[in-house]
Amino acid sequence: MQSGLAEFEISILLWIQEHVRMPFLNPVVQFITSLGDKGFFWILVCILLLLFRKTRRIGTVAVTALLLNTLVVNVILKTQIMRIRPFVLEEGLSLITRLPKDSSFPSGHTSASFATAVILFKGLPRYAGIPALILAFLIGMSRLYVGAHFPTDVLAGAVIGTVAALAVWWYYKKYIFKDLDRWKK
């Protein structure tokens, strides 16, 4: 028997499946969701930032935020909460991406995206930071579209990733790189 919240969330996912999914849009959203697979895209962004002296500090902070997020989400929360995926609970909900191997809560794609994007938004010029946040949002929404997560998984992932980023930003700014936001000037 499902809780009222799970039933409500499944009704949202079924509505998305029925009214938002479209054959021409599916490959686009599947590509967007794949950018979050194992944090690969965000790891690549961090590596690129680390390669250049001018962006090395932001890269260091972003890597730290991504590592903290991974510890909290993948090592602690997912293994302790073990929430079943929505497509397992509702046979009418079809998954249109690779079969996830871990539990549903919270969304790792979303949390990793926000952990990195918030650092980029805070540390880089707006022309780089805003698109990073938009991409993080799109990756989160893509997890609902493909049927891989409940809405609360995605919301929790966004909150956890953002909190991890802000905590790491605060720590680095206070104790290590006092002029961390010099790009904003």
Side-chain angles (χ1 to χ4, degrees):
M1 182 158 173
Q2 297 174 32
S3 72
L5 179 59
E7 285 181 18
F8 176 69
E9 291 188 273
I10 286 174
S11 72
I12 292 170
L13 295 173
L14 289 171
W15 184 87
I16 291 170
Q17 179 175 285
E18 181 68 27
H19 300 288
V20 180
R21 279 189 193 171
M22 297 177 194
F24 75 91
L25 197 54
N26 290 353
V28 174
V29 178
Q30 288 167 330
F31 172 74
I32 291 169
T33 212
S34 74
L35 292 175
D37 289 352
K38 302 203 183 313
F40 177 75
F41 175 79
W42 300 109
I43 293 168
L44 182 62
V45 168
C46 289
I47 290 169
L48 288 173
L49 291 170
L50 291 169
L51 289 177
F52 302 98
R53 188 171 188 262
K54 192 173 184 180
T55 57
R56 196 163 291 144
R57 286 181 175 190
I58 297 302
T60 301
V61 177
V63 166
T64 306
L66 196 52
L67 288 171
L68 175 61
N69 177 76
T70 301
L71 174 68
V72 170
V73 171
N74 294 68
V75 176
I76 299 170
L77 294 176
K78 280 186 177 276
T79 60
Q80 295 303 309
I81 296 171
M82 300 292 294
R83 187 177 194 187
I84 297 172
R85 296 278 180 169
F87 60 87
V88 174
L89 284 177
E90 175 58 50
E91 67 180 47
L93 181 63
S94 61
L95 178 70
I96 60 167
T97 189
R98 281 189 230 129
L99 185 66
K101 293 183 170 93
D102 58 358
S103 62
S104 192
F105 184 89
S107 168
H109 283 68
T110 307
S111 63
S113 298
F114 274 89
T116 311
V118 167
I119 296 297
L120 300 182
F121 179 76
K122 289 189 69 61
L124 295 177
R126 297 264 188 242
Y127 65 81
I130 290 173
L133 282 178
I134 291 169
L135 180 58
F137 175 80
L138 290 174
I139 289 173
M141 292 299 98
S142 75
R143 302 308 286 163
L144 302 176
Y145 184 95
V146 300
H149 282 287
F150 291 99
T152 51
D153 300 339
V154 171
L155 179 60
V159 169
I160 293 165
T162 298
V163 169
L166 293 175
V168 167
W169 182 268
W170 172 84
Y171 178 82
Y172 270 91
K173 184 146 176 67
K174 183 165 178 92
Y175 297 109
I176 300 174
F177 304 136
K178 307 260 188 238
D179 64 342
L180 195 54
D181 54 5
R182 66 181 178 190
W183 279 79
K184 295 295 183 174
K185 296 176 182 167

